[in-house]
Amino acid sequence: MEIVKLQNLPLLSASSSHRRSSPATISRLPSYLLGCSCINVTTNQREYLRLPRRSNLRIWKSSVNCSASAQSVTREKEDRNEKENLVSGDAIRRRFLDFFASRGHKILPSSSLVPDDPTVFLTIAGMLQFKPIFLGKEPRNVACATTSQKCMRTNDIENVGRTARHHTFFEMLGNFSFGDYFKKEAILWAWELTTKEFGLPPEKLWISVFQDDDEAFSIWRNEVGVPEERIKRMGEEDNFWTSGVTGPCGPCSEMYYDFHPERGSSDADLGDDSRFIEFYNLVFMQYNKKEDGSLEPLKQKNIDTGMGLERMAQILQNVPNNYETDLIFPIIEKAAHMASISYSEADDTTKTNLKVIGDHMRAVVYLISDGVMPSNIGRGYVVRRLIRRVVRTGRLIGIRGDGLGSPDGAFTPVLAETVISLSTEIDPDVSLRKTAIVEELKREELRFVQTLERGEKLLDQFLADALTQEKPCLSGKDAFLLYDTYGFPVEITAEIASERGVTVNMKEFEVEMDNQRKQSQAAHNVVKLSVGNEMEIAEGIPDTEFLGYDSLSVRAVVKGILVNGNPVKHVSEGTEVEVLLDRTPFYAESGGQIGDNGLLYSLGDGNEKSKTVVEIKDVQKYLGNIFVHKGMLKEGSLEVGKEMDASVDAKLRLRAKVHHTATHLLQSALKAVTGPETSQAGSLVSFDRLRFDFNFHRPLTDDEITEIEALVNRWISEAADLDTKVMALADAKKAGAIAMFGEKYGEQVRVVEVPGVSMELCGGTHVSNTCEIRGFKIINEQGIASGIRRIEAVAGDAFIEYITSRDSFMRQLCTMLKVKAENVNARVESVLDELRATRNEVSSLKSKIAVLRASNVASKALVVGQNNIRVVVENMDDTDTDALRSAAEFLTESLQDPVAIVLGSIPDEGKVSLVASFSPEVVKMGIQAGKFIGNIAKLCGGGGGGKPNFAQAGGRKPENLSMALERAKEELLTALSPDAVRSN
């Protein structure tokens, strides 16, 4: 029998003799004791605690003398914990970055999920932030870099949770070389990282190379030592990376992990997901693909790699899929707990649903953190769609309310807390935006729950319609509408339909789903790189030196001229041109501020014929930092190499500066009034106004707008000098500087500070003292998308012009109303009351006239069938909609049940109004006013509907009204009694 020596055990609560320990007490024992199978303990005390019988272990309150030591067990536990820490998701990320940092790579932060590149919808690859460097548009600041990049892809959304490794949100670990090292180093380091740093068994690793890439094959076989039978040559579709039809491209080599090496190497298929997982892709970017399809070597060969963090975590943590790693599983466990289910005991369908929730919650939290708010367009629709999938999936597995006991609450904010707790190593800024993320999720979920309830009503209507068919069947289009718009999983729709005796056309549903998938896949999932005409244009042209912070006029040399995008050497008067200068005072549009206006001119030798004037109307940045001055050659001629005076319109520059500084003050005032979580979502700084978009869930109140204006104007009046300095990006962020939305920053940044009020990273032009702004006024505040508001405001000269214009309007109004300005509101209210009273009187008279006309129409009623159903179908000429309704109600009441009334009119040019009123007995016969009048309205180019007994409709083809009413009469008579019709 094994004797174990136990010392310094935690004392347990006192217990009377032979009392069994509670589960709570047992759980407090050291875990290594609970694993013991049979241990006897001797003691000289009688009071003890008894463990469950399966352990056969008794622990005494006093210390116990035993012969064997538990220290080795403790060390084993510590070793195991250390090993687990080394393979955690955070550790894998950190070890990857440190590995390449020790080999000369600069660790760079992940870029936003919202890319700077307008050709890409969302950040889908680690290389995206380096695209301008790969293209040669921007100079490299470092020779090689390493990142852990947040990525989003939605093209395979239906596979999320169903496979072991499909995700919407994921992290891509990457190492990049910009003309520094190439194929050999990339391969050797990838092998060292994988086998030495991460300790993967070499015999479980397989390699794929492009079929013609003998160099890569040789490195893997001869220098790394991978057996030839574990290196697969594959075709262009699998192992040749291209960015598009043209542009940088090259062969790639992928590393695979083999979960079942016992199956041998004969006929091994790397595409077999049950055996292999591809976890590391090395792209050797060495060619430029031309329009004719030919390949030419790039001057600078680059390396672009990607290792899926979730996939490596699956391998190292030895779990069956990516979802059960510590990167995602805590979210799944939380969702399972809220649904009162066990993941380990759940069936496959429930597990899939939990995986969907875990994946999508990560995606929406990081998207919202990066400023993407739920909406019905663009990226906002992606967020909304993912949130809705989470909500409907949560309800499907049994989460009710907030999942914590409140039936009226939202559960996505609770899950978001778990996601945010896991975000520290991925993106520290997420936790800073916690309040905004949680509040946005709560609003979106509760709004969607209402939509779901409306969907339930629509489903009831669809099923009622289906039950009128000989073989009741819900169309696939209707099922897809419920799925896509109202969030109904087709499984729920099919289940409810089955209970009502209705089938669902699943083939048609799948067609609709496939169409949506194709649209999704076609959009935004390719990083487009191109090397073409623009590179030829920029050949030999250096970056433009910007001198506009300190000077509005400089002498410059024309380095290039473009006409219709093509380079030319010489242009003559009357030509629209784009001029490239070696230096310029003109600000090029960026950071929301529009480009300067002004003149390029040369007086020559004083002779009028030698004078050259180019009127500049816009300035844009091109190929990184080349300024393109766009304008019209008003006088003379222009040629490359000519010296010109470049002069900015000082008045317009001042208006832009005033609005840009006012924008900074506005953002600070907004945060002060509405809360620090309010963040910028876009901006425009122009000469006549400023526009500021921000994330907020409701309209600003009048009091809030007044308070914001007062704050900004107070700061203006304090006449504070602005402090502008250039510093390291890290130092600027540490100092609390705010980044402007959509702006890209280098390692050195320009910081603009209004002391005590605002500090922002900004390359724009600003006033030197706030008093130059003179005044600030908000002229409009409105919603532009779900969760996105927009403020438009004026400052400086534009503020004076606005106030002057409004004062002129007020004086005219005072003259018209013959009152003083302070009495305008009361007088307008009085006029409106008079107008409303007059309109009500007119409407009442129209209704009375319509009723009188209807009383004459009553005599024309047809009597149908043995039940003596009275039917009236009549054209009421130009009767307006309200009066038409009154006429229909009068006829229904005066003719009494059973009666069917259909009236039509042309109240305005190009407009048709229709009303149907059916008494209870007619409705019982299966004829519903809403459906009936809706079909009739289609003949007039419109539609409508309503209740079974009363409905209204409209149309846009008055010329078809007579025909439509004739059709209505025929259908009514046929439906009510085709064989027995007589006049009243």
Side-chain angles (χ1 to χ4, degrees), residues 599-658:
L599 296 175
L600 300 180
Y601 63 92
S602 173
L603 299 180
D605 56 8
N607 188 321
E608 276 298 315
K609 291 184 179 180
S610 65
K611 184 178 180 181
T612 300
V613 179
V614 182
E615 185 178 359
I616 302 300
K617 288 298 183 183
D618 187 24
V619 184
Q620 297 286 331
K621 281 187 182 179
Y622 189 72
L623 290 176
N625 207 35
I626 296 174
F627 286 39
V628 180
H629 305 74
K630 301 183 177 185
M632 171 70 74
L633 182 54
K634 290 289 189 178
E635 293 183 49
S637 61
L638 185 68
E639 59 273 346
V640 173
K642 187 168 186 175
E643 266 201 315
M644 303 286 287
D645 285 302
S647 180
V648 172
D649 186 317
K651 289 184 179 179
L652 291 182
R653 164 66 79 83
L654 177 60
R655 292 172 77 107
K657 291 198 304 184
V658 160

Coordinates of all heavy atoms in Angstrom, one line a residue, residues 599-658:
L599 N -3.2 79.7 -57.7 CA -2.7 80.0 -59.0 C -1.3 79.4 -59.1 O -0.5 79.5 -58.2 CB -2.7 81.4 -59.4 CG -4.0 82.2 -59.5 CD1 -3.7 83.7 -59.7 CD2 -4.9 81.6 -60.6
L600 N -0.9 78.9 -60.3 CA 0.4 78.7 -60.8 C 0.7 79.7 -61.9 O -0.1 79.8 -62.8 CB 0.7 77.3 -61.3 CG 0.4 76.1 -60.4 CD1 0.7 74.8 -61.1 CD2 1.2 76.2 -59.1
Y601 N 1.7 80.6 -61.7 CA 1.8 81.6 -62.7 C 3.3 81.9 -63.0 O 4.2 81.7 -62.1 CB 1.1 82.9 -62.4 CG 1.5 83.6 -61.1 CD1 2.5 84.6 -61.2 CD2 1.0 83.2 -59.9 CE1 3.0 85.2 -60.0 CE2 1.5 83.8 -58.7 CZ 2.4 84.8 -58.8 OH 2.9 85.5 -57.7
S602 N 3.6 82.4 -64.2 CA 4.9 82.9 -64.5 C 4.8 84.1 -65.4 O 4.0 84.1 -66.4 CB 5.7 81.8 -65.3 OG 6.9 82.3 -65.7
L603 N 5.4 85.2 -65.0 CA 5.3 86.5 -65.7 C 6.3 86.5 -66.9 O 6.3 87.4 -67.7 CB 5.5 87.7 -64.8 CG 4.4 87.8 -63.7 CD1 4.7 89.0 -62.8 CD2 3.0 87.9 -64.3
G604 N 7.2 85.5 -66.9 CA 8.2 85.5 -68.0 C 9.1 86.7 -68.0 O 9.5 87.2 -67.0
D605 N 9.2 87.3 -69.2 CA 10.1 88.5 -69.3 C 9.3 89.8 -69.3 O 9.7 90.8 -69.6 CB 10.9 88.4 -70.6 CG 10.0 88.3 -71.9 OD1 8.7 88.3 -71.7 OD2 10.5 88.0 -73.0
G606 N 8.0 89.6 -68.8 CA 7.1 90.8 -68.8 C 6.3 91.0 -70.0 O 5.3 91.8 -70.0
N607 N 6.6 90.3 -71.0 CA 5.8 90.3 -72.3 C 4.5 89.5 -72.1 O 4.5 88.4 -71.5 CB 6.6 89.7 -73.4 CG 5.9 89.9 -74.8 OD1 4.7 89.8 -74.9 ND2 6.7 90.2 -75.8
E608 N 3.4 90.0 -72.5 CA 2.1 89.3 -72.3 C 2.1 87.9 -72.9 O 1.5 87.0 -72.4 CB 1.0 90.2 -72.9 CG 0.4 91.3 -72.0 CD -0.2 90.7 -70.8 OE1 -1.0 89.7 -70.8 OE2 0.1 91.3 -69.7
K609 N 2.8 87.8 -74.0 CA 2.8 86.5 -74.7 C 3.6 85.4 -73.9 O 3.4 84.2 -74.1 CB 3.5 86.6 -76.1 CG 2.6 87.4 -77.1 CD 3.2 87.5 -78.4 CE 2.3 88.2 -79.4 NZ 2.9 88.3 -80.8
S610 N 4.5 85.9 -73.0 CA 5.3 84.9 -72.2 C 4.6 84.6 -70.9 O 5.1 83.8 -70.1 CB 6.7 85.4 -72.0 OG 6.7 86.6 -71.2
K611 N 3.5 85.2 -70.6 CA 2.8 85.0 -69.3 C 2.1 83.7 -69.3 O 1.4 83.3 -70.3 CB 1.8 86.2 -69.1 CG 1.1 86.2 -67.8 CD 0.1 87.4 -67.7 CE -0.6 87.4 -66.4 NZ -1.5 88.5 -66.3
T612 N 2.2 83.0 -68.2 CA 1.5 81.7 -68.0 C 0.7 81.7 -66.7 O 1.2 82.1 -65.7 CB 2.5 80.5 -68.0 OG1 3.2 80.5 -69.2 CG2 1.8 79.2 -67.8
V613 N -0.6 81.3 -66.8 CA -1.4 81.3 -65.6 C -2.2 80.0 -65.6 O -2.9 79.7 -66.6 CB -2.4 82.5 -65.6 CG1 -3.3 82.3 -64.3 CG2 -1.7 83.8 -65.5
V614 N -2.1 79.2 -64.5 CA -2.9 78.0 -64.3 C -3.7 78.2 -63.1 O -3.2 78.4 -62.0 CB -2.0 76.7 -64.1 CG1 -2.9 75.5 -64.0 CG2 -1.0 76.6 -65.3
E615 N -5.0 78.1 -63.3 CA -6.0 78.2 -62.1 C -6.2 76.9 -61.5 O -6.7 75.9 -62.1 CB -7.3 78.8 -62.6 CG -8.2 79.1 -61.5 CD -9.6 79.7 -61.9 OE1 -9.7 79.9 -63.2 OE2 -10.4 79.9 -61.1
I616 N -5.7 76.7 -60.2 CA -5.8 75.4 -59.5 C -7.1 75.3 -58.7 O -7.4 76.2 -57.9 CB -4.6 75.2 -58.6 CG1 -3.3 75.3 -59.4 CG2 -4.7 73.9 -57.8 CD1 -3.2 74.3 -60.4
K617 N -7.9 74.3 -59.0 CA -9.2 74.1 -58.3 C -9.2 72.9 -57.3 O -10.2 72.7 -56.6 CB -10.3 73.9 -59.4 CG -10.6 75.2 -60.1 CD -11.2 76.3 -59.1 CE -11.6 77.6 -59.8 NZ -12.0 78.6 -58.8
D618 N -8.2 72.1 -57.4 CA -8.1 70.9 -56.5 C -6.7 70.4 -56.4 O -5.9 70.5 -57.4 CB -9.1 69.8 -57.0 CG -9.2 68.7 -56.0 OD1 -9.0 68.9 -54.8 OD2 -9.5 67.5 -56.4
V619 N -6.3 69.8 -55.3 CA -5.0 69.2 -55.1 C -5.2 67.8 -54.4 O -5.9 67.8 -53.4 CB -4.0 70.1 -54.3 CG1 -2.7 69.4 -54.3 CG2 -4.0 71.5 -54.9
Q620 N -4.7 66.8 -55.0 CA -4.8 65.4 -54.5 C -3.4 64.8 -54.3 O -2.5 65.2 -55.1 CB -5.6 64.6 -55.4 CG -7.1 65.0 -55.6 CD -7.9 64.7 -54.4 OE1 -7.7 63.8 -53.7 NE2 -9.0 65.5 -54.2
K621 N -3.3 63.9 -53.4 CA -2.1 63.1 -53.3 C -2.1 61.9 -54.2 O -3.2 61.3 -54.3 CB -1.9 62.6 -51.8 CG -1.3 63.7 -50.9 CD -1.0 63.1 -49.5 CE -0.6 64.2 -48.6 NZ -0.3 63.7 -47.3
Y622 N -1.0 61.5 -54.8 CA -1.0 60.5 -55.8 C 0.2 59.6 -55.6 O 1.3 60.1 -55.3 CB -0.9 61.2 -57.2 CG -1.0 60.4 -58.4 CD1 -2.3 59.8 -58.7 CD2 0.1 60.2 -59.2 CE1 -2.4 59.1 -59.9 CE2 -0.1 59.4 -60.4 CZ -1.3 58.9 -60.7 OH -1.5 58.2 -61.9
L623 N 0.0 58.3 -55.6 CA 1.1 57.4 -55.4 C 2.0 57.7 -54.2 O 3.2 57.8 -54.2 CB 2.1 57.4 -56.6 CG 1.5 56.8 -57.9 CD1 2.4 57.0 -59.1 CD2 1.2 55.3 -57.7
G624 N 1.3 57.8 -53.1 CA 1.9 58.1 -51.8 C 2.0 59.5 -51.4 O 1.2 60.0 -50.7
N625 N 3.0 60.2 -52.0 CA 3.2 61.6 -51.5 C 3.6 62.5 -52.7 O 4.3 63.5 -52.5 CB 4.3 61.6 -50.4 CG 4.1 62.8 -49.5 OD1 3.0 63.2 -49.2 ND2 5.2 63.4 -49.1
I626 N 3.1 62.2 -53.9 CA 3.2 63.1 -55.0 C 1.9 64.0 -55.1 O 0.8 63.4 -55.2 CB 3.4 62.4 -56.3 CG1 4.8 61.6 -56.2 CG2 3.4 63.3 -57.5 CD1 5.0 60.7 -57.4
F627 N 2.1 65.3 -55.0 CA 0.9 66.2 -55.1 C 0.5 66.5 -56.5 O 1.4 66.8 -57.3 CB 1.2 67.5 -54.4 CG 1.3 67.5 -52.9 CD1 1.8 66.4 -52.2 CD2 0.8 68.5 -52.1 CE1 1.9 66.3 -50.8 CE2 0.8 68.4 -50.7 CZ 1.4 67.3 -50.1
V628 N -0.7 66.3 -56.8 CA -1.3 66.6 -58.2 C -2.1 67.8 -58.1 O -3.2 67.8 -57.5 CB -2.1 65.3 -58.7 CG1 -2.6 65.6 -60.1 CG2 -1.2 64.1 -58.7
H629 N -1.7 68.9 -58.8 CA -2.4 70.1 -58.8 C -3.3 70.1 -60.1 O -2.8 70.1 -61.2 CB -1.4 71.3 -58.9 CG -0.4 71.3 -57.8 ND1 0.6 70.4 -57.8 CD2 -0.3 72.1 -56.7 CE1 1.4 70.6 -56.7 NE2 0.8 71.6 -56.0
K630 N -4.6 70.1 -59.8 CA -5.6 70.0 -60.9 C -6.2 71.4 -61.3 O -6.7 72.1 -60.4 CB -6.7 69.0 -60.6 CG -6.2 67.6 -60.2 CD -7.3 66.7 -60.0 CE -6.8 65.3 -59.7 NZ -7.9 64.3 -59.5
G631 N -6.2 71.7 -62.5 CA -6.7 73.0 -62.9 C -6.8 73.3 -64.4 O -6.7 72.3 -65.2
M632 N -7.0 74.5 -64.8 CA -7.1 74.9 -66.1 C -6.0 75.9 -66.5 O -5.8 76.8 -65.8 CB -8.5 75.6 -66.3 CG -8.7 76.2 -67.7 SD -8.8 75.0 -69.0 CE -10.5 74.4 -68.7
L633 N -5.4 75.6 -67.7 CA -4.4 76.6 -68.2 C -5.1 77.8 -68.8 O -5.6 77.7 -69.9 CB -3.5 75.9 -69.2 CG -2.3 76.7 -69.8 CD1 -1.4 77.3 -68.7 CD2 -1.5 75.8 -70.7
K634 N -5.1 78.9 -68.1 CA -5.9 80.0 -68.5 C -5.2 80.9 -69.6 O -5.8 81.5 -70.5 CB -6.3 80.9 -67.3 CG -7.3 80.3 -66.3 CD -8.7 80.2 -67.0 CE -9.7 79.8 -65.9 NZ -11.1 79.8 -66.5
E635 N -3.9 81.0 -69.4 CA -3.1 81.9 -70.3 C -1.8 81.2 -70.6 O -1.2 80.5 -69.8 CB -2.8 83.2 -69.7 CG -4.1 84.1 -69.5 CD -3.7 85.5 -68.9 OE1 -2.7 86.1 -69.5 OE2 -4.3 85.9 -67.9
G636 N -1.3 81.4 -71.8 CA 0.0 81.0 -72.2 C 0.2 79.5 -72.4 O -0.8 78.8 -72.7
S637 N 1.4 79.0 -72.2 CA 1.7 77.6 -72.4 C 2.5 77.1 -71.2 O 3.1 77.9 -70.5 CB 2.5 77.4 -73.7 OG 3.7 78.1 -73.7
L638 N 2.5 75.8 -71.1 CA 3.2 75.2 -69.9 C 4.0 74.0 -70.4 O 3.6 73.2 -71.2 CB 2.2 74.8 -68.9 CG 2.8 74.3 -67.5 CD1 3.5 75.4 -66.8 CD2 1.6 73.7 -66.7
E639 N 5.3 73.9 -69.9 CA 6.1 72.7 -70.3 C 6.8 72.2 -69.0 O 7.0 73.0 -68.1 CB 7.1 73.1 -71.4 CG 8.0 74.2 -71.1 CD 7.5 75.6 -71.4 OE1 6.4 75.7 -72.1 OE2 8.1 76.5 -70.9
V640 N 7.2 71.0 -69.1 CA 8.0 70.3 -68.0 C 9.3 71.0 -67.9 O 10.0 71.4 -68.9 CB 8.2 68.8 -68.3 CG1 9.1 68.2 -67.3 CG2 6.9 68.1 -68.3
G641 N 9.7 71.3 -66.7 CA 11.0 72.0 -66.4 C 10.8 73.5 -66.2 O 11.8 74.1 -65.7
K642 N 9.6 74.0 -66.4 CA 9.4 75.5 -66.3 C 9.3 75.8 -64.8 O 8.7 75.1 -64.0 CB 8.2 75.9 -67.0 CG 7.9 77.4 -67.1 CD 6.8 77.7 -68.1 CE 6.7 79.2 -68.2 NZ 5.7 79.6 -69.3
E643 N 9.9 77.0 -64.5 CA 9.8 77.5 -63.1 C 8.5 78.3 -63.0 O 8.2 79.1 -63.9 CB 11.0 78.4 -62.7 CG 12.1 77.6 -62.0 CD 13.0 78.6 -61.2 OE1 13.3 79.6 -61.8 OE2 13.3 78.3 -60.1
M644 N 7.7 78.1 -61.9 CA 6.4 78.8 -61.7 C 6.3 79.3 -60.3 O 7.0 78.7 -59.4 CB 5.3 77.8 -62.0 CG 5.2 77.2 -63.3 SD 4.7 78.3 -64.6 CE 3.0 78.4 -64.3
D645 N 5.6 80.4 -60.1 CA 5.2 80.8 -58.8 C 3.9 80.1 -58.4 O 2.9 80.1 -59.1 CB 5.0 82.3 -58.7 CG 6.3 83.1 -58.8 OD1 7.1 82.8 -57.9 OD2 6.5 83.9 -59.7
A646 N 3.9 79.4 -57.3 CA 2.8 78.7 -56.8 C 2.2 79.4 -55.6 O 2.9 79.6 -54.6 CB 3.1 77.2 -56.3
S647 N 1.0 79.9 -55.8 CA 0.4 80.8 -54.8 C -1.0 80.3 -54.4 O -1.9 80.1 -55.2 CB 0.3 82.2 -55.3 OG -0.3 83.1 -54.4
V648 N -1.2 80.1 -53.1 CA -2.5 79.6 -52.5 C -3.4 80.7 -52.3 O -3.0 81.8 -51.9 CB -2.2 78.8 -51.2 CG1 -3.6 78.5 -50.5 CG2 -1.4 77.6 -51.4
D649 N -4.7 80.6 -52.6 CA -5.7 81.6 -52.3 C -5.8 81.7 -50.8 O -6.3 80.8 -50.1 CB -7.1 81.1 -52.9 CG -8.2 82.2 -52.7 OD1 -8.3 82.8 -51.6 OD2 -9.0 82.4 -53.6
A650 N -5.3 82.8 -50.2 CA -5.2 83.0 -48.8 C -6.5 83.0 -48.1 O -6.6 82.5 -46.9 CB -4.4 84.2 -48.5
K651 N -7.5 83.6 -48.7 CA -8.8 83.7 -48.0 C -9.5 82.3 -47.9 O -10.0 82.0 -46.9 CB -9.7 84.6 -48.8 CG -9.3 86.1 -48.8 CD -10.3 87.0 -49.5 CE -9.9 88.5 -49.4 NZ -10.9 89.4 -50.1
L652 N -9.4 81.5 -49.0 CA -9.9 80.2 -48.9 C -9.2 79.3 -47.9 O -9.7 78.5 -47.2 CB -10.0 79.5 -50.3 CG -10.9 80.2 -51.3 CD1 -10.9 79.4 -52.6 CD2 -12.4 80.2 -50.7
R653 N -7.8 79.4 -47.9 CA -7.0 78.7 -46.9 C -7.5 79.0 -45.5 O -7.6 78.1 -44.7 CB -5.6 78.9 -47.1 CG -4.7 78.5 -46.0 CD -4.6 77.0 -45.8 NE -3.7 76.4 -46.7 CZ -2.4 76.3 -46.6 NH1 -1.8 76.7 -45.5 NH2 -1.7 75.7 -47.6
L654 N -7.7 80.3 -45.2 CA -8.1 80.7 -43.9 C -9.4 80.0 -43.5 O -9.6 79.6 -42.4 CB -8.2 82.2 -43.7 CG -8.7 82.7 -42.4 CD1 -7.7 82.3 -41.3 CD2 -8.8 84.3 -42.4
R655 N -10.4 80.0 -44.5 CA -11.7 79.4 -44.2 C -11.5 77.9 -43.9 O -12.2 77.4 -43.0 CB -12.6 79.6 -45.4 CG -13.0 81.1 -45.6 CD -13.7 81.3 -46.9 NE -15.1 80.8 -46.8 CZ -16.2 81.7 -46.7 NH1 -16.0 83.0 -46.7 NH2 -17.4 81.2 -46.7
A656 N -10.6 77.3 -44.6 CA -10.4 75.8 -44.3 C -9.8 75.6 -43.0 O -10.1 74.7 -42.2 CB -9.5 75.2 -45.4
K657 N -8.8 76.5 -42.6 CA -8.1 76.4 -41.3 C -9.1 76.6 -40.2 O -9.1 75.8 -39.2 CB -7.0 77.4 -41.2 CG -5.8 77.1 -42.1 CD -4.5 77.9 -41.7 CE -4.8 79.4 -41.6 NZ -3.5 80.1 -41.2
V658 N -9.9 77.6 -40.3 CA -10.9 77.9 -39.3 C -11.8 76.6 -39.1 O -12.1 76.2 -37.9 CB -11.7 79.1 -39.7 CG1 -13.1 79.2 -39.0 CG2 -10.9 80.4 -39.5

